[in-house]
Amino acid sequence: MAETGTSTVEDTGLRRSITGRQLFFYTLGDVLGSGIYVLIGLVAAAVGGAFWIAFAIGVTVAAITGAAYAELVTKYPQAAGAALYVNKAFGNTALTFLTTVSFLAASFAATGSLATGFASYFATLWEGPPALLVSLVFLLALVVVNFIGITESVVMNMLMTFVEVAGLLVVMVIGIWYIAQGNADFGVLTDISVSGNPALAVLAGIAFSFFAMTGFENTANVAEETIDPHRSFPRSLVGGMVVAGVVYVLVSVAAALTVPVDQLAGSDAALLEVVKQGILPFSTDIMTTLFSIIALIAITNTTLVTVVTQPRILYGMAKENVVPAVFAKIHATRRSPWVGLLFSAAVVAALLITGSVLLEAGGGLDLVNRLALVTVVFLLLIYALVIVACLKLRGRDEDERTFRANTPLLIVGLVGNLAILGFSIYDDPSSLLWCAGLVAVGVVLFLIEYAAGSRNRPKSPGRGEPETAARKGA
């Protein structure tokens, strides 16, 4: 009977098709595109010319957290990521639900922020269509790609990663060219030109920059579709983050040296300002257009990963009996979790429409800023929980293939995540209202599962235990 159950899961579950190399570029592409093209101006406004420090510290904390994910993935190479790890560590359905809905909410907010950023760069090429329409069409296109299949999505992600890295290399080359001309003022790199406490200014910059570090957690949600995850994940996840961190610091330095900080801070497409300086001996108009296209591809890359992630979280947690079983449905031919995909797209579309309405009502809302901060608040809470879960699960479900993260570093990462979380809420408590609205969506799902789930679930073992899902084979 056990063999039959396993076979059913293999036959009807997600398909293992992602190689280690594809996983590395999946991680790299998601992290690189998720903020540097969109939010670098906000970080510069918070810190000043030394904003590269915020990126350096932020990526260090994020990389430590990534090591915790790598350890847990080698223990539990299944879809659902953080929610699964919390469920394994604490066995508490309410806490697992909170983690699930927080991660989903963070992913929804990130997708909305990136879609809005896409519209900002798109407007530099064509100002005709309304920003909201551009964002919604962009979202719909990515939903279609995701529906086609995970292999196609990951291959597209890898190709777009090469393009977005090329765009960041352009920025670095401009910085090197500017330095070679003898025009660089390196003093700007130590300038924290904001009023008040410099340490708080850097912390504010880290809070904004942390959005650019996120994305690595999405990689864990394709564990069930990765070939040899025990070998692939530690190298691809941590390696991708380290490479992304080095690139972030170099790009930040190049931007700070070549563009006045106030100009970066006031731009919705800050990296484009570097290209507009006309430092390279090429046509500025051509370079500006080319870079705008590269930026659009980079944002598309990251947003594609978030759209891939959302239905897989719902799929994984439906198997764990935390959300309604309908989200575990897989399309018969495309092998995509299509119900979760449609639901996720509807929530993100509602966020975009709500933000657009508030903006037109004269609320002065910066939707990119708002949704990015909401994403960071949710993810910092989740990262802290994942590190605690990693430490709590030590000695359980381990074998010779299990990766083990450095314990003192995990404690440093836990303190770092909590410090950034506390400051983010202190600096903008209104972000909690948006967080509450997104959590409310999850509460509805939980109540539906609680009320109706018992009708089609086995009574033993208890609700939320993984053995239940294994017997279901869904």
Side-chain angles (χ1 to χ4, degrees):
M1 293 297 292
E3 291 180 0
T4 303
T6 303
S7 176
T8 303
V9 173
E10 291 293 330
D11 291 342
T12 62
L14 300 174
R15 180 181 299 149
R16 290 196 185 275
S17 58
I18 303 173
T19 66
R21 182 174 299 178
Q22 289 174 333
L23 190 68
F24 170 82
F25 285 107
Y26 188 78
T27 304
L28 181 64
D30 193 19
V31 176
L32 280 182
S34 63
I36 195 72
Y37 282 93
V38 177
L39 289 179
I40 192 171
L42 290 174
V43 181
V47 181
F51 65 89
W52 64 272
I53 297 175
F55 280 102
I57 296 174
V59 79
T60 300
V61 175
I64 293 171
T65 308
Y69 271 89
E71 177 172 332
L72 290 166
V73 167
T74 58
K75 288 184 177 184
Y76 312 110
Q78 304 166 34
L84 175 66
Y85 312 144
V86 171
N87 194 36
K88 295 283 188 182
F90 302 102
N92 184 298
T93 303
L95 184 59
T96 301
F97 154 73
L98 176 63
T99 305
T100 303
V101 73
S102 295
F103 194 98
L104 275 172
S107 185
F108 293 151
T111 304
S113 181
L114 290 165
T116 306
F118 180 93
S120 296
Y121 272 99
F122 189 86
T124 65
L125 298 175
W126 183 22
E127 295 183 357
L132 176 61
L133 177 61
V134 172
S135 298
L136 292 175
V137 171
F138 172 63
L139 175 65
L140 177 61
L142 294 185
V143 167
V144 171
V145 171
N146 191 352
F147 175 76
I148 291 173
I150 185 63
T151 303
E152 292 80 1
S153 297
V154 171
V155 169
M156 179 176 288
N157 169 272
M158 187 168 65
L159 294 175
M160 289 191 290
T161 296
F162 291 126
V163 176
E164 73 183 21
V165 170
L168 297 177
L169 286 174
V170 168
V171 174
M172 287 188 278
V173 168
I174 291 173
I176 293 170
W177 194 281
Y178 193 69
I179 293 170
Q181 292 177 332
N183 296 323
D185 176 13
F186 290 98
V188 72
L189 299 179
T190 59
D191 177 33
I192 302 179
S193 55
V194 293
S195 58
N197 190 318
L200 291 179
V202 173
L203 195 55
I206 295 172
F208 282 122
S209 72
F210 215 80
F211 182 79
M213 314 307 163
T214 63
F216 65 89
E217 72 284 346
N218 292 327
T219 308
N221 291 285
V222 297
E224 199 168 325
E225 295 159 281
T226 301
I227 301 169
D228 193 8
H230 298 85
R231 178 183 176 87
S232 300
F233 262 89
R235 297 178 180 180
S236 301
L237 184 55
V238 179
M241 293 187 68
V242 170
V243 172
V246 171
V247 171
Y248 273 157
V249 171
L250 293 177
V251 168
S252 300
V253 168
L257 290 176
T258 56
V259 182
V261 173
D262 58 349
Q263 188 174 339
L264 286 173
S267 176
D268 291 331
L271 283 187
L272 192 60
E273 301 299 327
V274 178
V275 178
K276 288 181 177 179
Q277 299 303 302
I279 294 171
L280 294 180
F282 303 108
S283 168
T284 302
D285 290 339
I286 293 176
M287 287 295 295
T288 298
T289 300
L290 177 62
F291 191 83
S292 293
I293 294 172
I294 291 174
L296 290 174
I297 293 173
I299 296 170
T300 300
N301 193 16
T302 303
T303 316
L304 175 62
V305 176
T306 65
V307 173
V308 165
T309 297
Q310 292 152 11
R312 281 159 179 80
I313 298 172
L314 290 165
Y315 165 84
M317 296 320 296
K319 292 173 66 177
E320 295 289 328
N321 303 343
V322 176
V323 298
V326 67
F327 291 112
K329 286 185 176 294
I330 301 292
H331 192 269
T333 57
R334 302 312 311 175
R335 316 305 303 158
S336 298
W338 63 275
V339 176
L341 179 60
L342 293 178
F343 175 81
S344 301
V347 174
V348 175
L351 277 177
L352 292 170
I353 294 169
T354 300
S356 178
V357 169
L358 291 176
L359 181 62
E360 291 180 3
L365 176 69
D366 183 341
L367 191 58
V368 172
N369 181 355
R370 169 61 57 211
L371 293 178
L373 185 57
V374 169
T375 303
V376 168
V377 169
F378 276 123
L379 288 181
L380 286 168
L381 174 63
I382 292 169
Y383 292 166
L385 278 172
V386 166
I387 293 176
V388 173
C390 181
L391 294 172
K392 192 174 188 302
L393 288 167
R394 283 282 168 85
R396 288 172 49 184
D397 304 315
E398 294 180 356
D399 57 32
E400 68 280 358
R401 300 178 300 171
T402 303
F403 171 79
R404 174 164 286 214
N406 181 274
T407 301
L409 281 180
L410 290 182
I411 294 172
V412 170
L414 176 61
V415 173
N417 281 307
L418 291 176
I420 301 168
L421 172 62
F423 179 83
S424 299
I425 295 173
Y426 168 79
D427 189 54
D428 188 359
S430 64
S431 62
L432 293 178
L433 296 175
W434 285 73
C435 292
L438 285 168
V439 168
V441 175
V443 170
V444 172
L445 294 180
F446 181 76
L447 292 176
I448 293 172
E449 163 60 16
Y450 187 82
S454 59
R455 300 174 188 171
N456 53 19
R457 309 271 188 203
K459 293 183 178 180
S460 180
R463 178 186 298 272
E465 294 185 14
E467 291 83 3
T468 305
R471 286 204 302 269
K472 277 186 62 184

